[in-house]
Amino acid sequence: MSDDTLGLDASILRALIYDPAALAGPAVPTSPLDRGQRLRGGEFVGCDARREIPYLLTPLLDLVLPDPVFRALRRAIDEPTLRRIQRLEAALRSPLPRESEAAALAVAEVLQFHQAALGCQIASARCAADALDAATMRIEATNFGHAFLSFRAACLFASDAQSDATDVPYVGGPLRARLHAFDQKAEAWLQGFRVFAAAERMIADEDAILRGGVGIPATEPPVPTDDVVAQVKAVEILRRGANKRAVAPAAPLTLVVFPSLAHLPQPSQSARDRGDSPRAIAEPWAERGMPLTPAPDPHGFATRLRNRFPWAEEAIEPFAQDLVGAPYAATRPRTLVSPPGFGKSAFARAVLEEAGLDVTLYSCAGQMDGGSLGGTSRQWGSWRLSVPAQGCLRHGRASHGIILDEVEKAGSSRRWGRLDETCLPFLERGSTARAIHDPALECAIDLSAVSYILTANSIEAVVAPLLDRAPVLHWPAPRAEDMPIVAAAILAEIRRDRGLDDVWCPDLDGEELDALTAWRGGSLRPLRRMVEAVVASRDIFARRMPN
């Protein structure tokens, strides 16, 4: 292999390591990938194995299938659990009508990847074996790009096959971050393979000696030293690139929220000191990138919320999905709907805080002036930036969270602007929120990184366009069996409000928890009053104790 050829192959492989989309599919696919792409580390639709199942299986509903196979197919689409996917794969591999056999088998061939993602050790081992076999074939064909990606995927699948994760709740996420961890082992692979090759040559030489072949010219010339050196250099290039990605600090993500404000009058020094002009308060960030909060790990995010709200699995999952592959912490707008007292606002705050975002709670009840959210014109002495823009300046970040609490209780008059209509453009992160006119600054600003969660007791008074932009997410009622967790959270809030620690205000003991069993779920307000009564009884009892 010449230096030019080796350098070209290394350059091609380097490009594939940085962006394997040409062979392994896009980073976030919108349709299921084929088996070959998956063997090279391809992702699931939306980076989520369960989410991809309906996309993969729905076309099979048009096939001619026996009733048992069709029922297994429907069950897997309705609820893609590991057991149902395993049963479906076995069903699709059973004898089928000739016209349906090829399509069914093609789907069965990729279901092992979904089983591996859901924690099945056997499926992970199957994927590792298939990926290693693909790498071996590509190496023999000197197709190093395919071989490297397949070998790297085989290492990942083999690693997953070492532990049983079937009991661990599944949270989707991109594979590429995990795959890049194996890039740094390229040099170790090369050293190992060189030892293997040397051992094989020693055995061949010994066999030649036993056959009396000493001094006989070799039928194949030895590998030139220059080629070996060039191979080492190529792997060193890969190793340095992997190390740079691993140790080089990533540049902080930023977003320019405020453009140039030169169109506004230059404020006087006294106006700057008082912050008494729109330009004075926003100009420090004009044409400067404001920091964006990095996205947290979706699995850890969901786990922490489940520990605090164990009855709300279905409400937690959509917010965790928003963070899968997200470049920065942000959630899609949603409207939490439930009867009063179920803890919607507390959950909304917890979602934003667990995502690492600063939170503004904006009470919509009784608001008759939509401009209070959208801002007030600079023509008025009472000018104000919009609430999201104020949040950016207050927190010094482009990304933060706003809770629009009890949105259905805002005023319905359009005289000063309806609040539920005023907030519509702010909720369109992909379009209008990127260039939304601020009346105080008299220019378009970028508020696309702001996250919104709405709460409501009912949706009867909420306009349809708002629900279209912030879909309804029904918030479940807390259950009686969750009382110890909820009571502990309420007690923690009481500690914070009173400035106490767990020494002066210890956790609830068994007798105190027994006293709270009268609460049977539903609204948290009665339970809060009961916990406050327990804490008050401690004070009364303590005063009666002799010194």
Side-chain angles (χ1 to χ4, degrees), residues 159-431:
S159 175
D160 290 344
Q162 301 303 310
S163 59
D164 185 0
T166 53
D167 295 331
V168 178
Y170 171 72
V171 176
L175 292 175
R176 293 190 180 179
R178 299 181 62 203
L179 288 167
H180 281 316
F182 293 96
D183 294 349
Q184 300 178 53
K185 301 180 181 180
E187 186 176 23
W189 295 345
L190 177 64
Q191 293 174 353
F193 288 139
R194 289 172 62 191
V195 173
F196 302 157
E200 290 290 346
R201 285 195 296 270
M202 292 171 63
I203 293 174
D205 291 343
E206 292 169 359
D207 289 344
I209 292 173
L210 292 175
R211 292 195 302 268
V214 178
I216 299 176
T219 57
E220 294 183 3
V223 178
T225 304
D226 291 344
D227 278 10
V228 175
V229 172
Q231 291 176 23
V232 173
K233 289 181 178 179
V235 174
E236 179 65 17
I237 293 173
L238 298 179
R239 185 186 63 79
R240 286 201 300 267
N243 287 342
K244 287 179 181 179
R245 290 195 302 276
V247 302
L253 291 174
T254 61
L255 177 69
V256 176
V257 176
F258 302 97
S260 170
L261 301 177
H263 62 284
L264 296 178
Q266 185 74 249
S268 64
Q269 187 58 49
S270 61
R272 291 183 183 276
D273 295 340
R274 298 192 309 270
D276 199 20
S277 83
R279 179 170 177 174
I281 64 174
E283 194 162 42
W285 286 105
E287 298 183 283
R288 287 181 55 200
M290 301 190 79
L292 291 164
T293 302
D297 171 52
H299 177 71
F301 169 86
T303 299
R304 292 189 295 272
L305 287 177
R306 290 190 193 101
N307 292 337
R308 295 177 61 180
F309 304 93
W311 66 91
E313 173 72 28
E314 294 184 358
I316 294 170
E317 185 68 20
F319 289 104
Q321 292 293 337
D322 292 343
L323 300 174
V324 174
Y328 57 87
T331 66
R332 293 182 176 85
R334 292 184 178 87
T335 304
L336 298 175
V337 179
S338 78
F342 280 21
K344 299 182 296 298
S345 301
F347 174 73
R349 178 179 290 276
V351 166
L352 297 173
E353 289 178 343
E354 290 295 347
L357 300 174
D358 296 298
V359 182
T360 299
L361 180 64
Y362 187 90
S363 177
C364 302
Q367 284 286 354
M368 302 301 294
D369 182 2
S372 62
L373 177 76
T376 308
S377 173
R378 193 175 66 87
Q379 299 176 88
W380 299 93
S382 58
W383 60 264
R384 289 290 184 275
L385 274 66
S386 67
V387 170
Q390 291 180 46
C392 291
L393 293 175
R394 184 168 61 253
H395 304 304
R397 307 190 73 83
S399 53
H400 59 94
I402 296 178
I403 301 171
L404 299 178
D405 201 33
E406 298 186 318
V407 69
E408 86 282 9
K409 296 181 176 64
S412 59
S413 172
R414 285 196 173 94
R415 183 173 183 179
W416 304 110
R418 285 182 55 144
L419 179 65
D420 54 1
E421 295 177 341
T422 301
C423 69
L424 295 180
F426 293 91
L427 305 181
E428 295 278 8
R429 286 173 50 195
S431 55

Side-chain angles (χ1 to χ4, degrees), residues 72 76 79-90 115 118:
E79 187 178 354
T81 63
L82 174 59
R83 186 175 297 276
R84 291 189 175 188
I85 295 174
Q86 289 172 330
R87 291 174 177 170
L88 176 61
E89 182 187 359
Q115 297 168 43
L118 295 177

